[in-house]
Amino acid sequence: MADQEIVDQARTKMEQTITFLGDNLKGLRTGRPTPALVENIKVEAYGSPMPLNQLATITVPDPRSLLLQPFDASLCASIEKGILKSDVGITPESDGKVVRLAIPQMSQEQRDKMCARVGELAEETRVAIRNIRRDQNKAAETKKKSGELSEDLERDTKEAIQKVTKEMESEVDTISTDRVKQIQEG
């Protein structure tokens, strides 16, 4: 029987890493408008940078645009600047009350770049998962050296950690494959 505490810590840390990947992938353009595309863009408001979703309501009025309705109309200019500074690649239009974002069709070159970025993020996540595995294996070795775990328990713990690692890497593959498919269909 493996040391469940070490295995559970590994699972928790790996799941957090996958959640982080999911959040990063939400911000990548797929060709379809989605509030996630801009909701975490930092906008200078009231003297400090704030995420856009805390400053405005973000809606999808039609299949090719986003509508940002600031809670305070005086923030329209700041929201425009924040969007222009971000790497989203969309030029905002404002009438002083709302900000509109026309989402252009993505060229094949842009789609390829986005797919490559998905691959980079997925690989970074896999590396982070493997680092967690390494750290948890070291924790098992430390417990064995201190006499808290027998050799058999250490081996079982490492096997359980490896099983969790494979499971999480498989989840990363699924998430990244789905995102690539969305970008290509966009």
Side-chain angles (χ1 to χ4, degrees):
M1 184 70 195
D3 184 329
Q4 204 55 47
E5 179 184 345
I6 293 175
V7 175
D8 289 345
Q9 283 178 353
R11 180 178 296 280
T12 301
K13 290 176 181 179
M14 289 177 188
E15 285 172 347
Q16 289 170 344
T17 304
I18 288 175
T19 300
F20 185 73
L21 170 68
D23 292 344
N24 280 336
L25 291 179
K26 280 183 197 172
L28 292 180
R29 273 183 65 192
T30 61
R32 292 187 206 123
T34 173
L37 185 62
V38 296
E39 67 186 8
N40 291 319
I41 290 176
K42 297 292 185 206
V43 174
E44 192 67 34
Y46 311 115
S48 64
M50 297 177 71
L52 184 54
N53 63 352
Q54 291 181 7
L55 301 172
T57 303
I58 306 168
T59 57
V60 183
D62 60 66
R64 286 276 146 234
S65 66
L66 287 173
L67 182 67
L68 313 175
Q69 180 108 33
F71 302 130
D72 179 355
S74 67
L75 293 174
C76 277
S78 296
I79 290 173
E80 281 186 88
K81 285 180 191 172
I83 292 169
L84 288 171
K85 280 187 201 173
S86 74
D87 60 354
V88 132
I90 300 171
T91 305
E93 300 169 17
S94 174
D95 64 6
K97 295 179 184 165
V98 296
V99 178
R100 294 180 194 285
L101 300 175
I103 312 293
Q105 287 280 60
M106 290 174 63
S107 67
Q108 190 58 45
E109 183 180 339
Q110 288 172 315
R111 289 179 200 281
D112 293 343
K113 281 183 184 175
M114 287 296 170
C115 290
R117 182 70 183 130
V118 169
E120 291 168 11
L121 291 171
E123 187 55 33
E124 288 171 13
T125 303
R126 283 188 207 94
V127 168
I129 287 171
R130 291 178 195 132
N131 288 340
I132 293 166
R133 175 187 62 194
R134 182 197 62 220
D135 294 344
Q136 294 307 107
N137 282 341
K138 281 184 183 175
E141 291 167 8
T142 303
K143 277 192 168 186
K144 181 187 169 264
K145 285 179 185 172
S146 70
E148 293 178 57
L149 286 181
S150 68
E151 208 168 298
D152 288 344
L153 276 178
E154 178 200 18
R155 185 184 63 246
D156 291 348
T157 301
K158 285 183 174 184
E159 287 173 2
I161 291 169
Q162 181 60 29
K163 184 178 177 189
V164 171
T165 301
K166 288 294 179 198
E167 184 182 314
M168 294 299 158
E169 285 181 337
S170 172
E171 194 168 331
V172 168
D173 292 341
T174 302
I175 291 169
S176 61
T177 302
D178 289 349
R179 194 59 175 178
V180 165
K181 206 178 292 182
Q182 289 173 353
I183 291 170
Q184 292 297 354
E185 291 171 358

